Amino acid sequence: MSRRLRNILIAGAAAAAVFTVVTYYLNGWPQPPGPAIYVITPTLVLLAYLGVGLAAWQRYPAERIGLLFTMAGYAWFLPSLTQLHYPLPFTVGIVSGALYQAVLAHLALAWPYGRLRSRVDRVAVTVNYSFNVGNNVVQMLFWNPRTNGCGTACPANLLLAHSSSRLYSTTGTVFSVTGVCITAAIAALIAWHWRSARGYARQAMTSLIWVAIPIAAYIAVLGIPGNLGIPGLVLYGIGPLILIAAPAAYAISMFRARTARRAVGAALVDLEPGPSPARLRDALARALGDPTLQLAFRIPERGGYQDTSDQIVDPARLPAGRMLTELDAAGNAVLVYHELMQHEPELVKVTVTAASLALEHARLQAEVEAQLEQVRASRTRIVEAGDAERRRLERDLHDGAQQRLVTLSLAIGMARSQAAANPELAVLLETAAAEAQAAITELRELARGIHPAVLTETGLAGAIQALAERSPVATTITAVPASRYPAQIEATAYFVVSEALANVAKHAAASSTRVTIRELTGRLVVQVSDDGPGGARPEGGSGLRGLADRVAAAGGALRIESPPGSGTHLEADIPCP
Amino acid sequence: MAGFTVAEAASGAEATQTARIIRPRLVLLDIQLPDFDGFEVARRLAAQEDKPVIVLTSTREASDYGGQIAASPAAGFLPKDQLSGAALIAFLTRRPR
């Protein structure tokens, strides 16, 4: 809407309000007019319709709802022209006496965007306008203000053709019956609109129903002869306030659309990071108040889309009244919503942006998780490969060099038994035997450091026992399962105990250590505690760091508690299928 | 070894069978065998009548086998590098367990 038109409309509204008030007080001057309420409420109704009309026009320039509210406001004002004691405005005011009712019916049928939905609606509205004005025109042909209630107080009726009270009242009766029929038909159409509305539109139609019922009731009472005995002060003084319900409801819905945009943002903030598509859809549907909202994803093998409730969505054949917007450039995700939402382009934009952001977030999160999973798996594989390599090295050392040294040692022993006669040779052989023995011992230590044979041979029970026996600090084994586990799990548990015992011997100045290994459901818990002074720093020492890495590679966690004065307690939690 | 009749077996199964025929007094049993391990052979031999004195041996150390040696019916363990006739005969002169 142009600035100029807007200013004209604002000026028109102000002029109409001033006109209503001024003519009311000038009429019958110098006699005081009736109670002020008779002018206050009609003026409020006038301002409400014109004000909301102007606001809606400006907010949704492409829609006619603002125009309809403005029209209703002026139609409400027209009868006030009868206050001017001149034949032309008087006649116009009388003819348009109920015009506002026809505009209200039009407004209700075109709710909430000002557009009539079907031919039937258009016919109903046209008939209603024609009848509304036409019946007054016909009656005016027979109505003589001089002889029919008004006396000399009224100006002349310009339409008067044949003064006849009889014809005036007969046509009045016929027209009231016709009017009731037309009104009933329009009410039925509105009810049908409400019933067939879904989701986003349903919300708007429900608020209309709540507004239309009291307004229709008020207008019906005005039309009933005798007005059900309701006093004029209530009917004309307070009654028109009911009409304000329509602009009020519309103003609320405009405000809601504004808050809905905020609600979309808030709904996303409330979601946990990387929500599932179903949760995202639910949050958006709640925020928009549209339970029919669909979030659908491309299913390449089916060549179509599938929404979060597994419904197939075919973009080429959307059901009537549905609209689709792609959430990403590739069209992998789409939002399907009620077509009425397009009247809130900003809301659609905010929703689409929010949904695509959330989906992108979820996609990135899934990607990062997948990468992390790959890294975890590769770390596990690297450790496993390292373990296997160490086992192989140990076996090679044992089967190769060590076997040869043993054979050598035995041969020297046999030579010694035959060298008794030659003391010099005997001494040489004794030295050779000692050297061979030392070589065997060193080789064994080396092999054990590479990978403990006892672990391969007997599993954790024997291996931990051997560790405890070799530990320089008195070590008690509280529990070790006798069963065998996958090599990586056994090796991890073994190295935890081995490294922990080595640390105790090196740093802890403890007098005793306790080792416990327990199998709980799905995991192996390894605990090593000493009675030393505590104060060990888990971050310090590459040994502990490497141990934590090893446990993590097996998918477990290493925890070290070492409060000063209470010993060191190490616990590894290793998943165990 | 002088004064003894010695028979050899190349696998656990062969050892069990040979022992049933010749009823040895002493069996020097390698823990690492091609079919089943020395502990299993020891259990089978111990179940026979006139069970022999069994001495387990290995190129590995006793501690590499955890508590398995102590748990087996063998009289003891000699690392291969310390094998000698005298060490073996010493087991025979011990009181049987």
Side-chain angles (χ1 to χ4, degrees), chain A residues 394-395 398-399 402-403 405-406 409-410 437 440 444-445 448 453-455 457-458 462-463 465-466 469-470, chain B residues 30-32 37 39 57-69 77-84:
Chain A
E394 191 275 341
R395 211 171 36 242
H398 172 260
D399 295 348
Q402 204 170 339
Q403 291 284 12
L405 278 173
V406 166
S409 176
L410 286 175
Q437 195 57 51
I440 289 172
R444 272 189 185 139
E445 288 300 322
R448 185 163 38 232
V454 61
L455 186 62
E457 296 294 333
T458 70
Q465 183 65 44
E469 281 164 11
R470 273 203 305 278
Chain B
D30 201 333
I31 293 175
Q32 272 163 303
D37 68 16
F39 299 113
T57 187
S58 172
T59 43
R60 297 194 184 283
E61 284 179 292
S63 67
D64 282 352
Y65 296 102
Q68 280 176 295
I69 292 169
F77 175 86
L78 271 180
K80 270 193 191 163
D81 53 304
Q82 283 159 35
L83 273 184
S84 68

Side-chain angles (χ1 to χ4, degrees), chain A residues 229-543:
Chain A
I230 295 169
L233 186 69
V234 175
L235 204 59
Y236 297 103
I238 300 164
L241 288 177
I242 293 172
L243 299 177
I244 294 179
Y250 193 78
I252 290 170
S253 79
M254 282 202 294
F255 180 70
R256 271 222 198 110
R258 185 173 289 224
T259 51
R261 291 209 296 276
R262 245 174 271 144
V264 170
L268 284 176
V269 170
D270 287 348
L271 279 174
E272 79 276 20
S276 74
R279 290 190 57 116
L280 173 63
R281 186 221 80 98
D282 292 349
L284 290 176
R286 255 197 317 279
L288 294 173
D290 180 4
T292 66
L293 190 81
Q294 287 170 290
L295 180 59
F297 298 89
R298 195 198 289 283
I299 310 288
E301 52 268 33
R302 288 205 217 158
Y305 291 83
Q306 191 171 10
D307 77 0
T308 49
S309 324
D310 298 335
Q311 299 285 312
I312 300 297
V313 173
D314 184 354
R317 272 178 297 168
L318 285 179
R322 307 293 292 168
M323 297 208 51
L324 178 145
T325 298
E326 291 181 351
L327 292 180
D328 55 354
N332 287 321
V334 293
L335 201 64
V336 182
Y337 49 91
H338 197 282
E339 65 175 359
L340 284 183
M341 253 181 79
Q342 69 177 307
H343 294 279
E344 299 284 354
E346 283 179 58
L347 189 53
V348 172
K349 209 164 97 187
V350 166
T351 308
V352 165
T353 310
S356 47
L357 267 178
L359 288 175
E360 180 65 6
H361 183 167
R363 191 186 65 75
L364 285 176
Q365 184 159 337
E367 205 169 273
V368 167
E369 268 166 20
Q371 278 173 358
L372 189 60
E373 197 41 57
Q374 279 175 6
V375 170
R376 279 204 191 106
S378 89
R379 179 171 65 170
T380 305
R381 281 198 303 275
I382 288 168
V383 170
E384 275 173 354
D387 277 354
E389 187 59 15
R390 291 167 76 132
R391 269 197 303 279
R392 192 186 62 75
L393 260 177
E394 191 275 341
R395 211 171 36 242
D396 286 355
L397 277 178
H398 172 260
D399 295 348
Q402 204 170 339
Q403 291 284 12
R404 286 176 195 283
L405 278 173
V406 166
T407 314
L408 175 68
S409 176
L410 286 175
I412 295 171
M414 281 159 84
R416 279 173 71 190
S417 66
Q418 291 167 27
N422 186 341
E424 272 184 41
L425 182 61
V427 171
L428 273 177
L429 285 173
E430 197 175 324
T431 313
E435 283 298 314
Q437 195 57 51
I440 289 172
T441 309
E442 277 177 23
L443 197 58
R444 272 189 185 139
E445 288 300 322
L446 176 66
R448 185 163 38 232
I450 291 170
H451 189 86
V454 61
L455 186 62
T456 321
E457 296 294 333
T458 70
L460 277 176
I464 300 297
Q465 183 65 44
L467 274 179
E469 281 164 11
R470 273 203 305 278
S471 169
V473 180
T475 301
T476 316
I477 298 171
T478 319
V480 177
S483 15
R484 299 297 306 255
Y485 301 95
Q488 198 211 349
I489 292 170
E490 285 187 341
T492 305
Y494 175 88
F495 283 116
V496 166
V497 176
S498 155
E499 180 70 26
L501 289 180
N503 275 342
V504 172
K506 247 191 281 180
H507 311 294
S511 61
S512 71
T513 317
R514 182 183 300 276
V515 177
T516 311
I517 303 181
R518 282 204 174 85
E519 188 188 349
L520 304 177
T521 38
R523 62 212 182 95
L524 209 57
V525 179
V526 180
Q527 294 168 312
V528 182
S529 308
D530 67 49
D531 61 356
R537 282 177 304 120
E539 311 81 27
S542 62

